[in-house]
Amino acid sequence: MPSNVNHEILANLHFTKEDLIEANAPESELELVDFYHDLNTETLKLTDNLEEEKEELKYLFTNSQGVEEQLTWQDAESRGLSLDQMVINFNEDDYEEAGFFERRRKWNPSGTITVQEDAINQSIGVEGARARVRKWGWLVIKRATTNSDGFFRTSSTRTKRVKYSLYFKHRPEFIVKAGTWFWNARDRGHRTHKRQSWNRHYTYGRRQLYAFVQNAAFDYYNRVVQRHNIKRPKFHMKISAKFNQCGSSEHRASVLTLLPVSRIKITRRNGNCNYRGSDGIYATTVHELTHAGHQKLDHGMFSIFHIGSDNRAILTESWAEGVETVLTNERYNALTDGSYISTNPRDIDAGQVRWGGFRQELRANQMNEYTPIVEDLIDNLNQNTNLATWPEDNVSGYNLNQIQSALDNCRDIDCWENNLRNNNVNATENNLDELFDYVREVRNNSNNW
Amino acid sequence: MRNIIFMSMVLILISCTDKNERELMNFDVQFRNSSSNALNIKGFDSDNNMIFQDEVLNSESSTQCQSVTEVFNGFGCSLDSLVFSFDNDKGYICSKRASDTSNLCFSSKTPFGDDPSFVSLGNSTFEFVITQEDFDNALDLPN
């Protein structure tokens, strides 16, 4: 620092670098580790940060007769002595427990992060999130990613006291934002852990929402895309998780990359300000990611020149609604051994146990652009046999990959139907025209939306 | 520069792909018995649990069930099937189950879906009317 620059020294700090010493280091370097350890312990004593460790240490105290006594913390407390009147006894021979200081022992910071899924009343691991291990409260020394059980374990360290934090993201795919583009969603632990693991279980609040979005996005990028062979959304997706806001979730198709706006917004509460439920948050995250995948598949579909097109609205929203329906039922039935019951009030009212089942109990002129056409192409339910005014559906057996491929580069309903018929072999394809009739009717009734 | 910022903001505002869920609405739905005989109504969910029961005297209305959904769609209320029975053991069974092939529902109306036979009483209240003709044409119900 040049002498002519005004400055003020706030503190003189020294950070030891014990982790740089290899496991098979020579004796001289291991002695250095011992020294670092003692130095750190003494620093904690001077700054009154020893916490519970002070009860395990022994101390040297010189009494009024000039005699040096060895005291335990309990002895010192009973005699009213404070830490600054004593010196820590670093002589290992004076401790009964062999290797008490364990100065050279490496350990692996670890932990388990879970979230309570209220829709199915189960504890689920937070998967694919990034755990960080901090020394001195801020210096990140280790990183690890949680597995499907929410468990993480970093490489080993000699740093004895650490703090943990969890970031809801999975590079390079997505990062969950804390309701605004400017802040990452995270859980930053403030407690110091002395060679201890970190266990968290989110049952309420913002972190629970972040965990739901994390699990949904991780599932989409890492399981769904491969299993169903559908388009993966772009990398570096920013998903803003809105805890308090009531309203629709959004996929912003034309956000300019340089603007500080997340491409996807997930709200915890819907337009009625009712909590969506954990299955609802999974469903809406999947829905918006499906838009993002559709945009990557067919960028022109999301051009501003198609804004206001009823065909475009039906194609984009019915596709996303269908993927949402299939995946939500798939995931939660897998978690409950097939006993999942949707918590969507619309499904409950309709007496449906399947997520999104209520959509197949509507007449065409009751529907909006969120039609159940994708479900109708897949399942073997003909809702018309349940009620004569519901759509006639004699089509079944298509899969998400076929339906997505047929959608590629289409700008109207007829194109989608024709591609399904021409690009695939399906025993029910002669009934496609009959099925798509209700979708065309919905489009023509767009004034009702 | 101002134009660029303005255009960027316009792009953001007009290019959202929303999940525009329609808001939930409450609908009160009830039966009215305009026949000359008392009517017993039982409602079941998809697991065959009875979740609705009412005895409706002639010229009276049943207790209401509140349907919470986006658009009026008849008797929601988690109902899957309804049994209407008069004191002569005749009546009707209406169901949303494809497996139910008994054809014991009313010939020209149904309490499920937004059937045109529902009468709107205003204030999001709807009524499904069982008429004297329904009593006259009632079907034999299985034991």
Side-chain angles (χ1 to χ4, degrees):
Chain A
M1 177 76 69
S3 59
N4 60 344
V5 175
N6 288 332
H7 62 275
E8 179 186 359
I9 297 175
L10 298 174
N12 286 312
L13 302 175
H14 170 75
F15 300 106
T16 59
K17 43 192 177 182
E18 57 271 34
D19 279 334
L20 297 180
I21 297 172
E22 300 292 333
N24 54 356
E27 185 63 24
S28 60
E29 287 203 12
L30 291 175
E31 285 175 5
L32 196 57
V33 175
D34 290 351
F35 171 71
Y36 285 151
H37 176 274
D38 295 350
L39 184 65
N40 290 342
T41 308
E42 186 63 27
T43 306
L44 291 169
K45 171 181 173 274
L46 290 173
T47 56
D48 197 21
N49 281 307
L50 270 176
E51 298 177 352
E52 74 275 11
E53 191 176 6
K54 65 188 173 190
E55 297 172 15
E56 301 162 5
L57 290 166
K58 291 186 176 176
Y59 303 89
L60 299 174
F61 172 66
T62 306
N63 64 22
S64 56
Q65 285 80 42
V67 177
E68 189 177 71
E69 298 178 61
Q70 180 169 284
L71 304 174
T72 63
W73 176 248
Q74 289 74 21
D75 295 336
E77 269 196 320
S78 64
R79 291 168 61 171
L81 297 173
S82 61
L83 271 177
D84 56 7
Q85 292 174 280
M86 303 182 293
V87 176
I88 297 174
N89 184 357
F90 285 111
N91 185 356
E92 283 192 11
D93 296 338
D94 291 335
Y95 289 81
E96 292 164 9
E97 187 185 337
F100 172 78
F101 283 104
E102 295 179 323
R103 291 162 171 144
R104 297 171 187 177
R105 181 162 66 88
K106 282 194 167 190
W107 69 293
N108 298 87
S110 62
T112 304
I113 316 293
T114 53
V115 61
Q116 189 68 20
E117 280 267 8
D118 45 70
I120 52 174
N121 196 25
Q122 272 189 35
S123 174
I124 302 292
V126 178
E127 189 172 9
R130 194 71 167 152
R132 288 182 180 178
V133 179
R134 289 152 28 227
K135 168 181 172 181
W136 302 106
W138 61 271
L139 182 65
V140 178
I141 56 169
K142 298 289 170 189
R143 293 178 175 84
T145 301
T146 56
N147 66 14
S148 60
D149 296 323
F151 177 76
F152 69 90
R153 187 172 189 263
T154 73
S155 57
S156 62
T157 177
R158 285 195 173 89
T159 300
K160 192 174 181 181
R161 299 172 191 80
V162 299
K163 292 182 178 179
Y164 293 93
S165 51
L166 187 80
Y167 284 74
F168 298 90
K169 63 180 182 181
H170 194 258
R171 297 279 189 196
E173 294 145 358
F174 65 89
I175 179 164
V176 181
K177 294 285 183 176
T180 165
W181 183 88
F182 297 100
W183 297 102
N184 294 338
R186 67 181 186 182
D187 176 12
R188 198 164 194 264
H190 295 290
R191 193 171 146 248
T192 300
H193 296 258
K194 197 178 77 178
R195 288 198 174 112
Q196 284 176 330
S197 61
W198 189 50
N199 299 313
R200 302 285 280 162
H201 180 54
Y202 306 125
T203 57
Y204 67 96
R206 293 173 194 276
R207 291 173 191 129
Q208 188 191 38
L209 170 65
Y210 302 153
F212 289 153
V213 175
Q214 165 78 30
N215 274 349
F218 184 84
D219 190 48
Y220 198 94
Y221 274 96
N222 293 279
R223 184 188 65 84
V224 168
V225 164
Q226 288 86 356
R227 171 166 159 64
H228 293 283
N229 197 13
I230 57 176
K231 194 72 176 177
R232 189 192 64 219
K234 68 190 276 287
F235 279 157
H236 310 295
M237 182 68 69
K238 293 179 178 60
I239 306 172
S240 181
K242 301 276 188 185
F243 184 75
N244 285 322
Q245 191 178 95
C246 302
S248 296
S249 297
E250 293 175 359
H251 165 247
R252 296 161 172 136
S254 299
V255 166
L256 300 180
T257 307
L258 295 177
L259 290 177
V261 179
S262 298
R263 191 164 287 268
I264 286 178
K265 178 180 88 173
I266 303 297
T267 54
R268 190 177 66 97
R269 301 192 290 176
N270 60 21
N272 293 75
C273 272
N274 294 325
Y275 171 54
R276 294 182 187 279
S278 60
D279 51 353
I281 292 167
Y282 178 87
T284 195
T285 305
V286 162
H287 183 105
E288 304 307 342
L289 284 170
T290 303
H291 281 315
H294 190 180
Q295 186 179 18
K296 195 174 178 200
L297 176 81
D298 181 7
H299 201 271
M301 185 67 166
F302 292 80
S303 159
I304 59 172
F305 299 111
H306 291 290
I307 288 172
S309 159
D310 297 334
N311 273 302
R312 169 191 182 271
I314 285 197
L315 262 54
T316 55
E317 296 301 350
S318 295
W319 165 241
E321 195 68 25
V323 177
E324 166 192 325
T325 302
V326 170
L327 298 187
T328 305
N329 289 301
E330 179 181 275
R331 173 178 166 82
Y332 285 92
N333 273 315
L335 289 172
T336 58
D337 292 329
S339 60
Y340 166 61
I341 298 174
S342 167
T343 67
N344 187 335
R346 300 158 182 84
D347 295 325
I348 294 170
D349 189 75
Q352 287 278 347
V353 296
R354 281 177 59 76
W355 179 268
F358 78 99
R359 293 195 186 280
Q360 291 182 307
E361 294 199 354
L362 294 173
R363 277 195 296 136
N365 67 359
Q366 292 177 293
M367 294 182 193
N368 59 3
E369 65 268 42
Y370 300 85
T371 70
I373 183 66
V374 173
E375 272 279 273
D376 290 337
L377 290 165
I378 297 170
D379 68 16
N380 52 15
L381 167 75
N382 180 3
Q383 51 266 48
N384 182 263
T385 60
N386 291 348
L387 204 68
T389 54
W390 293 341
E392 188 82 55
D393 172 13
N394 293 301
V395 178
S396 62
Y398 287 94
N399 61 45
L400 289 180
N401 173 258
Q402 292 171 325
I403 298 168
Q404 178 189 252
S405 300
L407 184 62
D408 188 12
N409 220 23
C410 276
R411 299 290 179 268
D412 60 48
I413 295 164
D414 295 346
C415 168
W416 197 9
E417 180 196 330
N418 291 333
N419 283 349
L420 278 166
R421 184 183 297 107
N422 298 334
N423 300 346
N424 305 286
V425 176
N426 184 295
T428 64
E429 66 185 28
N430 289 336
N431 301 317
L432 280 168
D433 193 45
E434 173 191 63
L435 176 65
F436 270 89
D437 273 349
Y438 89 80
V439 186
R440 282 183 277 269
E441 187 182 341
V442 173
R443 178 196 58 197
N444 297 338
N445 286 332
S446 61
N447 290 339
N448 293 344
W449 297 0
Chain B
M1 186 63 186
R2 280 169 57 188
N3 286 342
I4 293 172
I5 294 172
F6 176 74
M7 283 303 294
S8 302
M9 297 305 289
V10 169
L11 272 176
I12 289 173
L13 288 173
I14 66 176
S15 61
C16 297
T17 299
D18 287 5
K19 180 166 171 50
N20 283 318
E21 299 143 320
R22 290 188 286 200
E23 293 193 0
L24 288 171
M25 298 176 67
N26 293 331
F27 298 97
D28 292 318
V29 198
Q30 65 191 33
F31 298 97
R32 181 166 182 78
N33 180 10
S34 64
S35 76
S36 56
N37 294 67
L39 175 68
N40 190 279
I41 304 171
K42 291 177 182 174
F44 299 86
D45 66 13
S46 56
D47 289 329
N48 273 332
N49 300 310
M50 189 169 67
I51 56 175
F52 182 90
Q53 183 177 24
D54 201 5
E55 170 110 16
V56 191
L57 302 178
N58 65 312
S59 302
E60 290 192 356
S61 296
S62 69
T63 53
Q64 293 180 334
C65 87
Q66 193 171 66
S67 182
V68 183
T69 186
E70 294 179 356
V71 291
F72 174 67
N73 204 24
F75 274 87
C77 313
S78 304
L79 289 168
D80 185 73
S81 59
L82 281 158
V83 177
F84 305 84
S85 57
F86 297 101
D87 47 14
N88 61 359
D89 288 337
K90 291 190 171 187
Y92 300 91
I93 299 176
C94 297
S95 170
K96 291 196 292 183
R97 303 174 198 179
S99 57
D100 177 17
T101 55
S102 59
N103 291 324
L104 291 174
C105 195
F106 305 92
S107 59
S108 59
K109 61 184 176 185
T110 172
F112 296 115
D114 64 334
D115 195 88
S117 66
F118 275 95
V119 178
S120 172
L121 304 178
N123 293 327
S124 300
T125 302
F126 291 84
E127 195 168 67
F128 187 79
V129 182
I130 287 86
T131 64
Q132 180 61 37
E133 187 182 356
D134 293 330
F135 173 76
D136 295 339
N137 297 327
L139 307 167
D140 291 325
L141 295 178
N143 292 324

